[in-house]
Amino acid sequence: MRLRRALLFMPGDSRSKIEKGIALGVDSIIMDLEDGVALNSKPAARATTAAALRELDFGRSERLVRINPVDSGLHLPDLEATVSARPDGYVIPKVEDALQVQVVSAWLSHAEAAQGWQPRSISLIAIVETARGVVNLREIAESDARLGALAFGAEDLAGDMGAARTPEGWEGFYARSAVVLHAKAFGLQAIDTPFVRLDDAAGLEKETRFAAQLGYTGKLAIHPKQIAPIAAAFTPTEQDIEAARRVVSAHEQHQASGIGVFELDGRMIDMPMVRAAQTVLDKARAAGLAV
Ligand code: COA
Ligand code: MG
């Protein structure tokens, strides 16, 4: 599956921000047609996003479009205006049940057939950011083969629940934990909520580290300066890689002598730790690092 550590949002009606985003070499670029765009600018945003997809070279960045919610009456014009420009995928906000993913997927299947493109070549990411979406996580996670990731949206969820947004985010912790758990249960990537305090670099770093510790594989970004710290938090450091290598090689030596559990640096090592070390090495390989 494609590496998605930092995914940078920008309003789909801003050609200059799209161009700026491309120049940053971020994993994924999300051109927004939903809440970052005023209602009377939706047609302009669709046209600007489609033109950018046709005209610009996105380099190694994935090209994603966030449509308006299914049932908003806006998502079909969003899809119709952009699909022929062939984005790599669509991001669906405020997903509340499996059917909302399936209707978009079925629409894309027709479009792919009509264009002669490979079936299921356009991927989907579902943002879960309402109380109903959290309650229905299981059916959403297993809704459709096109779905590659679940994303968590803390701001909308707090609004939907009448909860207060706090810097610590405990009001959304159950949902944040449930999103990553369901993603992992069904083989999906898990993408954490954006960090909206633009001038709080230490806060971003802390929140992103915690997301990585929970098992998240990436995080939404809303400003160029957030990309490097986010990408770093989801990429193993040299020390992480070295420590993982030691665990795997000690494990292999002990296995060869018929020993399953052993001690390394004062810590018991058995299969869960070996699997965790292998995950670190897999992540490093996916990021193009030598392991
Ligand atoms: N993508 C690409 N470029 C961006 C960007 C983004 N998300 N956010 C800022 N930039 C650019 C600006 O255009 C500016 O470029 P310039 O120096 O060539 O003029 C530069 O980075 C510095 O930006 P800055 O002045 O610090 O921010 P701003 O006041 O222009 O914009 C926001 C602040 C919050 C409006 C902007 O960051 C933004 O639009 N973020 C994304 C919002 C969004 O998509 N929300 C929906 C999903 S939650
Ligand atoms: Mg939202």
Side-chain angles (χ1 to χ4, degrees):
M1 205 179 285
R2 160 162 215 151
L3 199 61
R4 291 177 176 135
R5 292 164 300 187
L7 302 89
L8 179 67
F9 263 120
M10 73 279 298
D13 55 353
S14 174
R15 173 87 174 207
S16 65
K17 282 184 182 153
I18 297 170
E19 287 175 357
K20 187 130 201 155
I22 290 173
L24 301 166
V26 62
D27 292 334
S28 305
I29 286 187
I30 311 177
M31 291 162 277
D32 186 26
L33 302 178
E34 197 215 8
D35 286 348
V37 174
L39 200 54
N40 58 10
S41 296
K42 301 281 183 193
R46 291 177 191 126
T48 300
T49 294
L53 284 166
R54 287 204 179 88
E55 294 161 15
L56 300 174
D57 178 0
F58 283 64
R60 56 172 289 276
S61 300
E62 183 183 30
R63 302 136 76 243
L64 300 172
V65 177
R66 179 166 76 169
I67 56 174
N68 284 277
V70 176
D71 302 335
S72 65
L74 296 169
H75 75 288
L76 275 179
D78 292 343
L79 291 167
E80 281 159 1
T82 53
V83 76
S84 63
R86 203 175 189 178
D88 298 314
Y90 285 96
V91 178
I92 318 175
K94 301 182 179 68
V95 173
E96 301 211 306
D97 56 40
L99 193 60
Q100 293 180 336
V101 179
Q102 289 157 354
V103 295
V104 174
S105 182
W107 192 94
L108 291 174
S109 293
H110 282 111
E112 285 164 346
Q115 301 274 0
W117 297 336
Q118 181 91 359
R120 284 202 221 123
S121 52
I122 300 175
S123 65
L124 286 176
I125 296 175
I127 312 184
V128 173
E129 50 188 345
T130 64
R132 277 179 59 92
V134 175
V135 167
N136 289 335
L137 262 167
R138 180 174 180 151
E139 67 167 70
I140 294 167
E142 56 183 348
S143 60
D144 196 274
R146 211 184 272 279
L147 191 68
L150 295 180
F152 172 55
E155 306 301 327
D156 276 292
L157 180 67
D160 189 49
M161 291 175 63
R165 260 317 253 144
T166 64
E168 301 74 28
W170 288 111
E171 68 284 353
F173 181 71
Y174 167 75
R176 195 180 184 203
S177 185
V179 167
V180 62
L181 187 72
H182 284 78
K184 296 306 166 92
F186 294 96
L188 306 176
Q189 295 171 333
I191 299 163
D192 192 36
T193 191
F195 186 80
V196 297
R197 297 194 304 277
L198 288 169
D199 292 326
D200 182 1
L204 171 67
E205 207 186 305
K206 188 170 167 215
E207 183 173 290
T208 310
R209 194 181 323 119
F210 187 50
Q213 286 166 352
L214 287 175
Y216 275 92
T217 50
K219 188 172 176 70
L220 297 164
I222 50 169
H223 191 282
K225 66 186 173 189
Q226 296 186 329
I227 294 172
I230 290 177
F234 294 106
T235 308
T237 63
E238 253 174 59
Q239 292 97 298
D240 296 336
I241 296 170
E242 181 52 33
R245 251 202 243 112
R246 285 193 62 210
V247 168
V248 170
S249 92
H251 163 73
E252 283 165 359
Q253 283 165 24
H254 284 88
Q255 284 280 310
S257 346
I259 298 166
V261 59
F262 59 95
E263 188 232 300
L264 185 69
D265 304 331
R267 195 164 73 110
M268 181 201 80
I269 306 286
D270 69 352
M271 277 320 286
M273 293 80 164
V274 175
R275 282 190 209 103
Q278 274 155 350
T279 301
V280 169
L281 298 180
D282 288 345
K283 268 194 197 173
R285 265 183 227 107
L289 301 172
V291 298

